[in-house]
Amino acid sequence: MFGAQGQAQSRDYAFRIGTICRAEVRMSYFVLFFFMIQVVQIGQAYQSAKLEVIGLQLLFAVGNEFILMATVLCHEFGHGNMSRYLGGQIDHILLWVFGGICFSVRPQGNFDNVKLLRNDLLIVAAGPATHFLQAPLWGLVLWFAFWAVSAASSHEFSAYFPYDNAWQAFLASLNPLYGSSIGQNAVLSLTYHSAGIWLCLFWGLVCSAISLNVSLFLFNVFFPMYPADGAKLLVTGLMFCCGLPPRRAAMVLICTTVPCALLMIGYAVYTFVAGVSHGAGISGMMGSLMGFMAVMGLLEAYKIYQLRKNRQLHTHSLFQTARSWNRREHDGFGYVNRMNQGDFDDDMPLTGGGTCGSLFRSFRPEGGWSCAGCLGCLLPCLFRPGAARDARPGGGGNYPEASGPLEAPFTSSGVPLAGPAPNADEVRNQRLNFLGQMDRRAADRQRTVRSYMDQQYGGGAGPRASAAAAATAPGAQDSAQRPTAPGVASSGGDGGGGGGEV
């Protein structure tokens, strides 16, 4: 649902911003629409205030919107650059009212379930991991802001300022509710009267950026409502680290998504009713966005429930390991692996899960541990991620080279985009050819010596029958009339059988 909505938004209701780090970035028109709603809210709330105060609030709104989009963009680049590092590509990134979507292209040719789960877990975790870098970087900016405000303020201001140093201000900004707290408003008021409007704006935006990174991290990790990163981390972690089967993992996802979505819907209804009762209809409409997101989450959970019921979870990108590419059978002579042509999930998945040590094996080159992969995901423009060791030729993986064909782009919900995807008939024909080869090999193993000799020498004649026929030729009659040694078959159609008995 989210992938389909994001795809439609990116195609029909978005405009191109530009190309950043070899990835196209697009923005939905609804982002601008809801930003204009915020501008109208500011006009209604400060209609009797001074023009300078209204201008300051408008600048705060513009700055916070820019910081929000930049933070979400870095978050999505975390997902996309981890996909690049593992052998995929970034198709484009969409910024919309619910955050962002990174449409990535997966590498082709990987059939190992453990590696698939490990790659999914790394890609999902790379997005929230960017906030561990963004928040400290904003902390350095806050240190400079603290120095600038202290230098521009008087000694009387220092007596009322609640922070003795920049470290205390940084710790206070780590509170996810700091932006709307009374203490933050008091600090902004003190900064405005003592240091001026521009330093007040600078201080407020930096503190809001730190608080925003903490809020986005907590929401994406500890709120398990699909399609938030927290639900994906929970499911992929259970399948990879604990070996949980995909069907049980899907039920866990449904059981966590539904309560969280209902809780969000209740909060959205409360916000809307409170806004209307206080005459702030626009504010209530802004809060209803959370309810719309929760409804879409419920629809996505219902879709996963239907796929689980119909045993087609493998069609969803999050549970693609529910159906293995091969199956193991016993044919009387031993176990053989055959191509899996079934349309349903496996009764027993082939993987039992991975280990926490193998999770970071992609970041470990032959010479020892390295941070190049992590830096490539966190700072894509400064450290370009190369192909992972599993994706290199001869590196132990099943990925093609960077110039090879790739699969069609997929979103986080498994919705394919336009791309060089193979034809379904071609894939089925390849599977049939491979299955035919396996059947022929199995038939060769079941052949008897007699049938093999018949095929090699034609008819029922073996090598001794051919020798007998050669004996009847001119010049060989004497040798043909000589008695044969005891225990040796002379000729006949049973030569093949005799050879088999010897």
Side-chain angles (χ1 to χ4, degrees), residues 25-347:
V25 180
R26 302 179 63 86
M27 179 179 290
S28 173
Y29 290 113
F30 289 97
V31 175
L32 302 179
F33 173 73
F34 282 99
F35 174 72
M36 295 305 300
I37 292 180
Q38 293 181 10
V39 172
V40 174
Q41 283 183 316
I42 293 174
Q44 291 180 350
Y46 296 91
Q47 57 184 352
S48 60
K50 296 180 180 180
L51 184 61
E52 185 178 3
V53 176
I54 298 177
L56 179 61
Q57 295 298 326
L58 290 176
L59 290 176
F60 266 120
V62 174
N64 285 326
E65 188 70 21
F66 177 79
I67 292 174
L68 175 62
M69 292 295 104
T71 304
V72 172
L73 186 62
C74 292
H75 180 104
E76 297 304 325
F77 262 113
H79 296 301
N81 280 278
M82 178 60 74
S83 178
R84 280 178 174 175
Y85 182 82
L86 296 174
Q89 293 181 5
I90 300 177
D91 187 75
H92 69 279
I93 295 177
L94 173 66
L95 301 176
W96 64 332
V97 291
F98 298 111
I101 300 179
C102 180
F103 296 90
S104 60
V105 179
R106 294 176 178 173
Q108 194 180 36
N110 187 11
F111 303 107
D112 189 353
N113 287 348
V114 176
K115 289 183 179 179
L116 288 174
L117 291 175
R118 183 199 65 184
N119 294 346
D120 288 344
L121 185 56
L122 287 174
I123 292 174
V124 173
T130 59
H131 300 294
F132 284 102
L133 181 65
Q134 295 185 67
L137 288 178
W138 282 111
L140 295 177
V141 180
L142 182 63
W143 176 84
F144 176 76
F146 182 86
W147 173 82
V149 170
S150 300
S153 303
S154 60
H155 295 285
E156 297 179 357
F157 168 78
S158 302
Y160 293 99
F161 201 65
Y163 310 123
D164 296 331
N165 49 55
W167 177 248
Q168 293 182 0
F170 177 74
L171 293 180
S173 300
L174 292 177
N175 183 4
L177 302 178
Y178 179 74
S180 59
S181 63
I182 300 178
Q184 168 68 355
N185 295 330
V187 171
L188 290 178
S189 178
L190 287 173
T191 308
Y192 173 74
H193 289 93
S194 61
I197 182 175
W198 297 112
L199 286 179
C200 174
L201 176 65
F202 184 45
W203 177 272
L205 290 179
V206 173
C207 293
S208 298
I210 298 174
S211 179
L212 175 65
N213 277 275
V214 177
S215 301
L216 291 179
F217 174 81
L218 294 177
F219 177 80
N220 282 281
V221 174
F222 298 103
F223 193 73
M225 187 190 79
Y226 189 80
D229 291 339
K232 299 176 186 178
L233 285 172
L234 176 64
V235 172
T236 55
L238 288 175
M239 289 190 293
F240 179 79
C241 299
C242 302
L244 193 69
R247 292 182 60 83
R248 294 184 181 179
M251 184 55 65
V252 171
L253 179 65
I254 295 171
C255 293
T256 56
T257 299
V258 172
C260 292
L262 295 177
L263 181 64
M264 185 176 288
I265 290 176
Y267 178 77
V269 171
Y270 170 78
T271 304
F272 180 78
V273 173
V276 172
S277 62
H278 291 83
I282 297 180
S283 177
M285 187 176 65
M286 291 291 296
S288 64
L289 280 177
M290 299 179 59
F292 183 69
M293 180 179 178
V295 171
M296 295 176 66
L298 288 176
L299 294 177
E300 190 69 28
Y302 178 75
K303 174 185 174 182
I304 295 176
Y305 172 78
Q306 290 294 329
L307 292 176
R308 183 182 183 275
K309 181 179 179 181
N310 298 328
R311 296 185 61 189
Q312 291 184 343
L313 276 175
H314 64 277
T315 60
H316 197 282
S317 63
L318 196 60
F319 304 100
Q320 56 182 337
T321 57
R323 176 184 175 274
S324 303
W325 70 276
N326 62 344
R327 56 182 179 179
R328 194 180 187 189
E329 296 179 354
H330 192 278
D331 59 354
F333 293 89
Y335 289 97
V336 294
N337 292 322
R338 299 182 184 273
M339 184 70 71
N340 188 3
Q341 291 185 294
D343 296 330
F344 302 101
D345 301 333
D346 295 339
D347 295 330

Side-chain angles (χ1 to χ4, degrees), residues 422-490:
N423 190 359
D425 295 335
E426 296 179 359
V427 174
R428 183 171 293 275
N429 291 333
Q430 293 177 1
R431 290 180 177 178
L432 290 176
N433 293 334
F434 180 80
L435 184 60
Q437 294 178 4
M438 297 294 294
D439 291 338
R440 286 191 293 271
R441 291 180 181 178
D444 290 339
R445 289 194 296 267
Q446 296 177 4
R447 293 174 58 185
T448 62
V449 177
R450 178 186 295 274
S451 62
Y452 177 77
M453 300 296 291
D454 291 343
Q455 181 180 358
Q456 288 293 111
Y457 300 101
R464 296 174 183 173
S466 301
T472 60
Q477 295 180 359
D478 295 338
S479 61
Q481 294 175 356
R482 295 175 183 176
T484 58
V488 178
S490 59

